[in-house]
Amino acid sequence: MMSQETVGEASPPAPSPAGDKPVAAAAPAPGADPAAGTGVAADPAAAHPATSAHTHAKDSFAKLTLGSVGVVYGDIGTSPLYALKTALQHNGTEAVSQGEVIGIISLLIWALLITVTAKYVLFLMRADNKGEGGTLSLMALAQHALGKRGGAVFLLGVMGAALFSGDAIITPAISVLSAVEGLGVAQASLVPYILPITVVILIALFSVQRSGTAKVATFFGPVMVVFFGLIGFLGVIHIADAPVVLNAFNPWHGVRFLFGNGATGFVTLGLVFLAVTGAEALYADMGHFGRKPIQVAWISFVLPALLLNYLGQGALVIHDPAAVKDPFYLMVPNWALIPFVILSTLATVIASQAVITGAFSLIRQAIQMGLLPRMEILHTSETTEGQIFVPRANRMMLVGVLLLVFLFKSSDALANAYGIAVTGTMVVTTSLAYFVVTKMWRWPKLWAVPFIGFFLCIDVAFLLANFAKVLDGGWVPLLLASMSMLLMWTWVRGTALLAAKTHRDSISTRGLIAMLAKSKPVRVPGTAIFLTSDPEIAPSSLMHNLKHNKVLHDRIVIMSVKTVDAPRVSPANRYKIEPMSDSFTAITLSYGYMEIPRMPAALATLRKAGLKFDIMTTSFFLGRRTLKASSHSFMPKWQDHLFIALSKQAATATDFFSIPSDRVVELGAQVSV
């Protein structure tokens, strides 16, 4: 057996050099030097030709629809707990007029109809990237349409991903806290226990992530069906308290409230946005359930339940103005309040779970696209590819969520921090959609500009309204997003500069083969696989092996891993084999940004394809590098040190690509950046 020899610290590979399509930034190549350029398999034919429907073709339509109710709509479904209450209380808790109630509910209704139904459900879900949705998928789609002119699109995608990271931390905090606060409505003596119970639930939620959510997910759909059914039923009952609330369907009442109350109306618009904060999940989770099940679930069940509940809350407040303190829970009879609080808490946990899972998926995409260093990613299901767990991200999110709970202490206070990140993501998504409809769908600008402009104006209005909450807590998601963008920018910039440096200091693989043909080094039996980010450049591990051990194996494989601008790659297009000489072979493995390359599976595929080698006599040679700051860097000193710190946190190629550790030799060196 070959022992594992390690020299130096691991550091990550770079995305593609300047000039390549940013979306084509390759996945971190296994064992690659941090400076090696990665390139991309840009041919869309390499991607799986079918959409993600193949992943759920065996599932019944009804099962997928039920699953979408549980996973996709958890966030937006729990918005009634705090959205209307927060908006009404901003206008005063003592005397809220009938006109104000109807105006605010009108804004809520039309926000759901325009932003969620028209924009996301009917329009954006058509912009799928091989069946996948979300900000980074849309970015990949837009960049594929623009080719090498996609720098602005790349920046928009990074911005959207960074903003989502802020939302992923705030959502569990506000959702669980708002549900547990129902205990205070049921029994005033329970108020001191609200914060401790919230903390316990959140710690338990993040603790179970390691075991996977596949089994728990089977209960998500039925629980949310019961929840939506009950809140819709309660709404129907209380609409009778003040049927005049049905006038809220007339958009004029919302417009009159917005423009007739000065700054108050505009600030209230930002609070109304809380009703649509889960809309981005519709698009992001499309690959899990498919477009049609999500659309059917929304139009036929979830939307009616939400509309009825908001109308019922409004009618209750019109009938009894004192109910403004918590109209959601005050709709429930006293005898049923505790069970309903438990059900609502369970619903908020489900909503939080959906956001956490979405964050894990986003991190995986960012790693594959070269936006973040490698992290350990664990699969928690043997049958479902999307069930993953990112330990480091899970710990960071838990710390962030608990800090928010202790900092704000109530859902009303936390509502001020909520919304800016989501509205920013929506602006990014709408902007990216413009490039898709004009470049891929070939819409004339005469149609595209007013169509996209309409949605963009609404998104920008929501964004500006939310900016009014910056000093009251809105700075939190902005700070989180800024930190995320700084990390991604530093990583992309540092790896690109390091890639250029390595290219300047390296020799080509074919040049090395020609030199070896003349020098004829000592050969030893077996196969050596040298993993690199760029097969055109001689891997540093190969150069170090020649320099120090002065031998070559009988068969040399130069293997690289590349990420295409599609979610998945079909098995038929997984590999490309190119003989370089009698003893040298170049192999390129292509993966989508939703996939995690696994070396054992790749080797099994190559053996079936006819590549002859004995795994027991095959050794993997990986390059590891220790980075140190250079006195002549193209980045500021602080960014140099940040990049070096990030590289030290990267998972080893052996772990990330599941390479058998007893077949690995790691050779390292120090490199200045």
Side-chain angles (χ1 to χ4, degrees):
M1 291 292 196
M2 179 86 62
S3 63
Q4 182 174 2
E5 175 188 354
T6 303
V7 182
E9 296 292 333
S11 63
S16 51
D20 286 349
K21 294 187 298 181
V23 69
D33 298 328
T38 51
V40 168
D43 183 6
H48 197 290
T51 68
S52 66
H54 71 281
T55 61
H56 43 68
K58 297 180 180 179
D59 294 319
S60 67
F61 185 83
K63 183 178 179 181
L64 291 171
T65 304
L66 178 64
S68 69
V69 172
V71 176
V72 175
Y73 296 111
D75 190 2
I76 197 170
T78 53
S79 295
L81 274 78
Y82 48 81
L84 182 59
K85 177 183 71 171
T86 305
L88 289 173
Q89 289 181 352
H90 179 74
N91 288 269
T93 57
E94 296 181 357
V96 182
S97 69
Q98 175 178 301
E100 289 175 333
V101 173
I102 294 177
I104 292 173
I105 294 179
S106 181
L107 290 174
L108 281 168
I109 289 174
W110 286 98
L112 289 170
L113 292 177
I114 295 176
T115 299
V116 183
T117 307
K119 175 185 167 184
Y120 279 94
V121 174
L122 299 179
F123 167 60
L124 270 180
M125 290 188 72
R126 293 181 58 224
D128 65 295
N129 190 355
K130 301 296 186 295
E132 297 290 344
T135 302
L136 291 181
S137 288
L138 189 61
M139 180 192 79
L141 202 64
Q143 285 208 308
H144 179 70
L146 290 173
K148 294 187 178 182
R149 298 174 297 144
V153 170
F154 176 69
L155 181 61
L156 281 173
V158 171
M159 187 183 303
L163 288 167
F164 182 83
S165 66
D167 177 48
I169 293 178
I170 297 176
T171 295
I174 190 173
S175 297
V176 176
L177 192 55
S178 63
V180 178
E181 284 172 346
L183 293 173
V185 178
Q187 186 68 43
S189 60
L190 297 176
V191 171
Y193 300 98
I194 290 176
L195 212 60
I197 291 174
T198 299
V199 171
V200 170
I201 291 174
L202 289 171
I203 292 176
L205 173 63
F206 282 92
S207 298
V208 301
Q209 296 302 313
R210 179 176 291 274
S211 60
T213 59
K215 294 181 180 179
V216 181
T218 58
F219 299 100
F220 285 5
V223 169
M224 292 306 296
V225 166
V226 173
F227 176 77
F228 282 124
L230 282 178
I231 66 173
F233 176 70
L234 290 170
V236 170
I237 292 176
H238 284 281
I239 287 175
D241 293 341
V244 69
V245 76
L246 294 174
N247 288 331
F249 279 106
N250 183 348
W252 169 246
H253 292 285
V255 173
R256 184 171 58 184
F257 174 84
L258 181 61
F259 293 100
N261 288 274
T264 299
F266 190 66
V267 173
T268 303
L269 181 65
L271 300 173
V272 165
F273 182 78
L274 294 173
V276 298
T277 48
E280 194 71 23
L282 301 174
Y283 187 42
D285 287 330
M286 181 165 56
H288 295 286
F289 301 98
R291 180 193 309 163
K292 288 296 182 182
I294 293 176
Q295 291 175 328
V296 169
W298 172 257
I299 295 174
S300 65
F301 183 59
V302 178
L303 176 61
L306 293 176
L307 293 178
L308 289 171
N309 188 262
Y310 284 124
L311 290 168
Q313 288 188 51
L316 176 62
V317 173
I318 293 174
H319 177 72
D320 179 13
V324 71
K325 64 180 181 180
D326 202 328
F328 180 80
Y329 280 120
L330 289 175
M331 285 196 300
V332 184
N334 288 334
W335 60 268
L337 193 53
I338 294 297
F340 192 69
V341 169
I342 295 174
L343 175 63
S344 299
T345 303
L346 188 56
T348 58
V349 169
I350 292 172
S352 303
Q353 176 62 65
V355 174
I356 294 169
T357 303
F360 290 161
S361 297
L362 185 74
I363 289 170
R364 177 173 67 173
Q365 292 182 46
I367 291 171
Q368 290 291 76
M369 289 182 168
L371 302 177
L372 290 173
R374 289 187 298 235
M375 295 185 194
E376 181 186 12
I377 298 178
L378 305 177
H379 284 263
T380 58
S381 172
E382 295 181 358
T383 58
T384 306
E385 168 67 20
Q387 292 288 338
I388 60 173
F389 172 63
V390 186
R392 184 171 297 167
N394 191 67
R395 291 191 295 269
M396 293 173 62
M397 290 173 63
L398 174 59
V399 171
V401 168
L402 293 180
L403 285 176
L404 288 179
V405 170
F406 288 122
L407 179 63
F408 289 93
K409 294 184 174 60
S410 72
S411 62
D412 291 339
L414 197 54
N416 291 320
Y418 204 31
I420 291 182
V422 187
T423 52
T425 305
M426 287 185 174
V427 170
V428 168
T429 302
T430 305
S431 302
L432 291 173
Y434 172 78
F435 298 104
V436 174
V437 300
T438 55
K439 300 299 181 181
M440 292 195 71
W441 297 356
R442 304 296 182 184
W443 283 18
K445 290 187 177 181
L446 186 63
W447 297 354
V449 170
F451 184 81
I452 298 296
F454 171 72
F455 292 120
L456 192 59
C457 286
I458 293 176
D459 291 341
V460 170
F462 277 131
L463 180 62
L464 294 177
N466 275 280
F467 266 113
K469 303 184 294 183
V470 168
L471 296 180
D472 294 326
W475 56 270
V476 172
L478 293 179
L479 177 62
L480 293 172
S482 299
M483 293 171 61
S484 297
M485 282 201 69
L486 178 63
L487 292 178
M488 287 188 279
W489 174 50
T490 299
W491 186 252
V492 171
R493 187 182 184 190
T495 50
L497 291 173
L498 205 49
K501 175 183 175 63
T502 298
H503 274 256
R504 289 194 305 267
D505 299 341
S506 301
I507 65 172
S508 70
T509 303
R510 295 190 182 277
L512 176 63
I513 293 174
M515 293 170 57
L516 293 175
K518 297 178 181 179
S519 60
K520 297 187 182 301
V522 175
R523 294 278 184 168
V524 295
T527 301
I529 298 179
F530 292 89
L531 296 135
T532 180
S533 300
D534 188 351
E536 298 300 321
I537 300 297
S540 65
S541 53
L542 173 57
M543 302 301 294
H544 284 302
N545 187 50
L546 281 171
K547 179 179 179 181
H548 297 292
N549 297 328
K550 304 184 187 304
V551 296
L552 277 182
H553 285 68
D554 286 335
R555 301 189 63 194
I556 305 295
V557 175
I558 307 296
M559 184 175 289
S560 61
V561 177
K562 297 185 178 182
T563 301
V564 302
D565 57 350
R568 295 177 180 85
V569 171
S570 66
N573 295 306
R574 176 72 68 201
Y575 57 86
K576 177 183 178 183
I577 302 175
E578 180 185 0
M580 303 183 77
S581 71
D582 291 340
S583 58
F584 276 77
T585 302
I587 298 178
T588 301
L589 299 175
S590 297
Y591 290 87
Y593 54 79
M594 291 294 289
E595 300 176 297
I596 296 178
R598 293 186 174 188
M599 201 52 57
L603 293 178
T605 301
L606 290 171
R607 292 189 68 179
K608 290 180 181 179
L611 191 68
K612 298 178 180 179
F613 61 90
D614 181 4
I615 189 63
M616 298 306 296
T617 60
T618 298
S619 299
F620 290 86
F621 286 80
L622 311 182
R624 291 171 64 98
R625 297 203 173 185
T626 301
L627 304 183
K628 61 179 183 179
S630 171
S631 57
H632 304 288
S633 174
F634 289 96
M635 295 192 298
K637 286 293 183 185
W638 64 267
Q639 199 167 30
D640 273 340
H641 291 293
L642 177 58
F643 176 66
I644 293 171
L646 287 173
S647 70
K648 290 181 178 179
Q649 297 301 314
T652 65
T654 304
D655 294 334
F656 188 82
F657 293 94
S658 303
I659 303 173
S661 59
D662 59 350
R663 309 304 310 162
V664 173
V665 175
E666 296 185 348
L667 303 171
Q670 284 193 342
V671 179
S672 298
V673 294

